[in-house]
Amino acid sequence: MIRFVLCALALTLSGFVRAQSAGTPDAQAVSVPPATPFTAEMVEKGREQFHRTCAQCHGRNMVNSGTTVYDLRKFPTEQRDRFYTSVTNGKGNMPSFKGALEPGAIELLWSYVATRGGKEL
Ligand code: HEC
């Protein structure tokens, strides 16, 4: 009897452990920090970062034809999570920037893009 109980307990526990690990986020999941209010200084730093790492494809001051590369002047400003995910993991012909940007750099880029280059600050 006791052996049966222990066996049932072990089975229950192993099922529990498996269910727990199935719930762990996969490597593609992106952690998005809480939003902070934008400042002129953030937008300026975002502009510099953009011209160092993004403008070669997205165009100076985000100006491009939008035919093969996304026109960031039209990026929906309420889709902050999508911005973080696409920049972190890459998308289509855009490379992943995972590990390539300093912590906080994506938020600076976001402040630049979401304020339309500072015009809507
Ligand atoms: C090598 C060229 C290249 C570089 C460098 C690049 N991008 Fe892109 N980016 C693209 C292309 C191409 C797309 C369109 C991807 C698609 O939809 O297939 C894109 C799309 C995007 C999108 C829209 C993704 C979506 O969710 O639809 C965002 C946001 C973006 N880029 C931000 C950035 C930022 C910020 C940087 C700089 C850190 C950057 N990109 C650097 C080529 C580039």
Side-chain angles (χ1 to χ4, degrees):
M1 179 61 192
I2 186 79
R3 205 174 282 175
F4 172 75
V5 170
L6 285 178
C7 191
L9 192 67
L11 280 175
T12 315
L13 282 176
S14 67
F16 179 71
V17 170
R18 239 178 289 128
Q20 288 291 298
S21 54
T24 24
D26 61 89
Q28 296 299 301
V30 172
S31 70
V32 179
T36 51
F38 301 141
T39 63
E41 196 194 350
M42 284 172 77
V43 173
E44 215 35 60
K45 285 190 176 155
R47 188 192 312 281
E48 287 164 16
Q49 180 72 61
F50 176 86
H51 288 96
R52 276 197 299 274
T53 48
C54 322
Q56 65 269 38
C57 292
H58 287 280
R60 282 202 67 76
N61 304 315
M62 297 185 278
V63 179
N64 74 32
S65 65
T67 46
T68 53
V69 177
Y70 195 96
D71 184 345
L72 288 176
R73 293 168 297 177
K74 297 186 180 141
F75 191 85
T77 56
E78 75 287 359
Q79 293 185 14
R80 183 171 176 267
D81 286 12
R82 172 178 158 194
F83 185 86
Y84 266 81
T85 302
S86 296
V87 174
T88 307
N89 293 338
K91 189 178 180 201
N93 286 329
M94 175 161 118
S96 154
F97 283 88
K98 196 177 207 140
L101 294 169
E102 298 278 316
I106 299 182
E107 188 61 22
L108 298 176
L109 289 164
W110 175 236
S111 74
Y112 174 68
V113 171
T115 61
R116 309 293 188 212
K119 283 200 286 257
E120 292 177 14
L121 183 64

